[in-house]
Amino acid sequence: KRIILAKKEYFLQFISQMSEQLISKLMERESNLKLQLLQKQLTCIINSIDSGILAADESGRIIFHNSLTQDFFDLDDIAWDNFLISDLLDESYTNYLTASEEGFRNKEALLQRGGKSIHALITARPIMMDGDCIGSIFILKKISEVYREVVELSDHGIIGSFDTILGSSANITEVKQKAIRIARGNSTVLI
C-alpha cells in the first residue's frame, strides 16, 4: 500500500495514458468503419453507372474497374491485377490524355480483346493532385448502347397519326393516302 501511494502520480499518469490510447484506438476503429462504409457505397454507385469505368495509376496499372467494364472486356476479377491500361486501350488514347492534361470526351474507338472487336466511345480525365497527374479515369460506352439510348429517347412518347399532318389540299390528301398504304410495311419512308 505504501509503495502504491508513493508512486500514486506515476500510476495515475500511466492510467491516463492508457485511457488516451484506448480512446485513440476506438476513434481509429470508428474511422475505419466509416471509411469501409463509404468505400462500399461508392463502389455500389460506380457499379450502378451504365458505362464501363477504369482507373489507372500514374504508371498505367489498372487500380479499379466497375462491373460493367468487367463484362465489357469479359475478364474475371483475378485477371485485372496484371493489366495495364495499354493492354486494353490503344496507346494513342493514353498518349493523348498525357499530352493534353485535360482529357477528352467521346473519342470513337475499336477495341480488340480476346478475338472480339468492340466499337466504343471513350472519355478520359487525368487525376491531378498538386499539379501532378497521379492517374487517370477512363469511361467506356459501347456504340450499340449509345444507339439504343438514342432510339429510346427519340421514340419515347411520340405517337403519330396521319390526322396530325396539317393541310387539306389535293396534294396533301394524296400524300396521306400513299403514306397510309406504305405504313403497312416495315420500311422507313421520307416524304
Side-chain angles (χ1 to χ4, degrees), residues 27-172:
M27 289 174 64
E28 181 181 327
R29 185 168 185 245
E30 185 179 340
S31 293
N32 283 338
L33 289 173
K34 284 181 182 178
L35 283 173
Q36 287 174 353
L37 177 64
L38 182 60
Q39 181 183 10
K40 290 215 181 276
Q41 290 171 331
L42 287 174
T43 300
C44 185
I45 290 168
I46 291 171
N47 283 330
S48 299
I49 295 172
D50 64 349
S51 298
I53 297 176
L54 287 170
D57 63 13
E58 66 275 1
S59 64
R61 189 176 60 85
I62 295 173
I63 55 173
F64 180 83
H65 66 281
N66 69 349
S67 58
L68 199 62
T69 306
Q70 191 163 324
D71 296 340
F72 206 91
F73 290 105
D74 197 25
L75 292 170
D76 60 20
D77 273 331
I78 296 168
W80 287 97
D81 295 338
N82 303 318
F83 273 99
L84 296 173
I85 197 71
S86 58
D87 294 331
L88 301 174
L89 303 178
D90 187 270
E91 209 172 290
S92 62
Y93 297 105
T94 54
N95 290 345
Y96 184 84
L97 179 64
T98 306
S100 71
E101 294 184 3
E102 294 177 6
F104 55 85
R105 281 185 62 79
N106 297 326
K107 295 277 184 198
E108 197 169 342
L110 189 62
L111 307 175
Q112 303 290 333
R113 183 81 200 127
K116 283 191 330 187
S117 292
I118 304 165
H119 197 193
L121 288 179
I122 302 174
T123 297
R125 295 278 179 260
I127 302 170
M128 304 300 287
M129 181 180 231
D130 298 328
D132 295 324
C133 181
I134 60 167
S136 46
I137 301 289
F138 294 87
I139 302 168
L140 311 167
K141 193 160 196 104
K142 290 181 181 177
I143 291 283
S144 58
E145 289 295 313
V146 173
Y147 289 153
R148 185 185 57 74
E149 288 176 8
V150 168
V151 168
E152 282 179 8
L153 287 172
S154 63
D155 284 349
H156 185 69
I158 299 175
I159 300 172
S161 74
F162 294 108
D163 296 334
T164 59
I165 299 174
L166 300 177
S168 58
S169 69
N171 289 341
I172 290 292

